[in-house]
Amino acid sequence: MKRHVFSPLSNRSYRTFFFSQVFTDLGNWLDLLALGALITFTWKLGLEANSAAVIAMGAPFLLIGPFASVWVDRLSSRMVLLHSTFLRILVIIGFLLAENLYMLLPLIFLKSALASISEPARQSLLRHLVPTEEMAEASALGQMVSNGMKMIGPAIGGLLLTFSSPAAVFAVEGVLYLIGWVIMLALPRVQAAADYSRDEKQGFVRDVAEGVRFLFGNPLIRSAVMIVGLSMFIIFLYDGFLPPLVQALGMDTLGYGLVTGAVGAGSVLGALLTGQFTQWRNWPILFMAVGRIVSGLLLLVAAAGVLYGFAHGNTALWVVIFAVTGAVGVGMTVPYAYLLQTQTPKELIGRVSAVAMAVQGIAIFTAPSLGAILGKWLGLGWVFVLAGGFTVLLGAASMWRAQEKKSLTSSASM
């Protein structure tokens, strides 16, 4: 029978995994606006407090994830996922009880620390549940859920804030985590990915180093991680400039809502198409490289809109352009997730995925500050010129490298 993007859902174990991800990912993104509203509107705090919250969200992926991922490989990934999800429920209860920023920041840090553990555990568990021949489709479904919840979660959170308070958002978030945790109870028991019985004295640093060496020693994974890491850096140079960009393109608040919705919808559609048409498995790096070139060209179109008034006020055209941008972006992340799963040994999947997340975390931490400096120095339009140009160059360099080493385009399918 011919496979399609939803084929993995016929696997009962994966189906359980999938629906648990739907609820937990929705919970992950539900409080994005609520935390900001609590800090800014309820407690009347300024930019410093919001910046501190952002740092507390991101720091664990750099400081905690790579080391904690050792336990993901040493222990049952199902058990790690269950425990980390349950602890996040307790953290949400802490959100409800927090009375000031000094109580809230450690809770935000702890929630992200648990996320930095649960994500590698989820990747490790996925490896046990899905056969290699269906991993492309499963990776696409995972990205569909992730990108869909990034769009739906803040929208629901904003709606709840309109009629209630941040506390109500946190309560709903806790219920979503609880539902996801209950679903996880039906996941099959799996053994630890790695057997350390022969070397119990091996330390954390050596274990993490083993994951780092494998990541940068595997040509396919190294190429994928570098493409995604550099792409994330470029994206976060301009990510905070979307509202002024929409305004500069001649659109109002409604246009901003339509554009952001188009990016999310395009991401979901892109994931479905990438999962349905999986011929890219034979040349994943080339596929990612072409996606970078297309993304860069679309950014240059947006720059032309700011600098030269191209399609000024044409909301319909910009909605289509941003929808395509979202779809093309997922065309990068699905092969990336697929390569991590199929090229990494089971006993290393937790560490390798955590180190890969840390590489992205470095980009997320450093790029926004540089983007703000460039925005003040060069202006909005030229920031997008730089971002688009560098993205095109990244895609072209990746394509040249992939064609130079043909093994990058064939070994993924072996």
Side-chain angles (χ1 to χ4, degrees), residues 338-356:
Y338 170 78
L339 286 172
L340 282 182
Q341 285 290 341
T342 57
Q343 295 293 305
T344 307
K346 285 184 179 180
E347 66 272 14
L348 290 174
I349 188 67
R351 280 165 285 172
V352 170
S353 59
V355 173

Side-chain angles (χ1 to χ4, degrees), residues 216-224 226-227 230 283-290 293 392-410:
F216 289 101
N218 182 292
L220 276 168
I221 295 181
R222 183 177 65 244
S223 296
M226 294 308 295
I227 291 173
L230 290 171
W283 26 271
I285 300 300
L286 281 175
F287 188 75
M288 295 173 70
V290 171
I293 293 174
V392 171
L393 288 175
L394 174 61
S398 302
M399 180 180 292
W400 174 78
R401 184 67 173 170
Q403 290 176 329
E404 184 184 53
K405 293 192 174 184
K406 295 297 184 181
S407 61
L408 291 180
T409 66
S410 59

Side-chain angles (χ1 to χ4, degrees), residues 5-6 38 125 128 133 266 286 291 301 313 383:
V5 65
F6 295 108
L38 180 64
L125 184 58
H128 286 86
E133 59 269 19
L286 281 175
V301 171
V383 170

Side-chain angles (χ1 to χ4, degrees), residues 20 264 291 336 352:
S20 70
Y336 168 73
V352 170

Side-chain angles (χ1 to χ4, degrees), residues 3 31-32 41 102 107 120 153 189 219 331 399 407 409:
R3 292 197 307 272
D31 64 14
L32 189 64
F41 299 111
Y102 300 104
L107 292 169
R189 298 182 183 276
M399 180 180 292
S407 61
T409 66

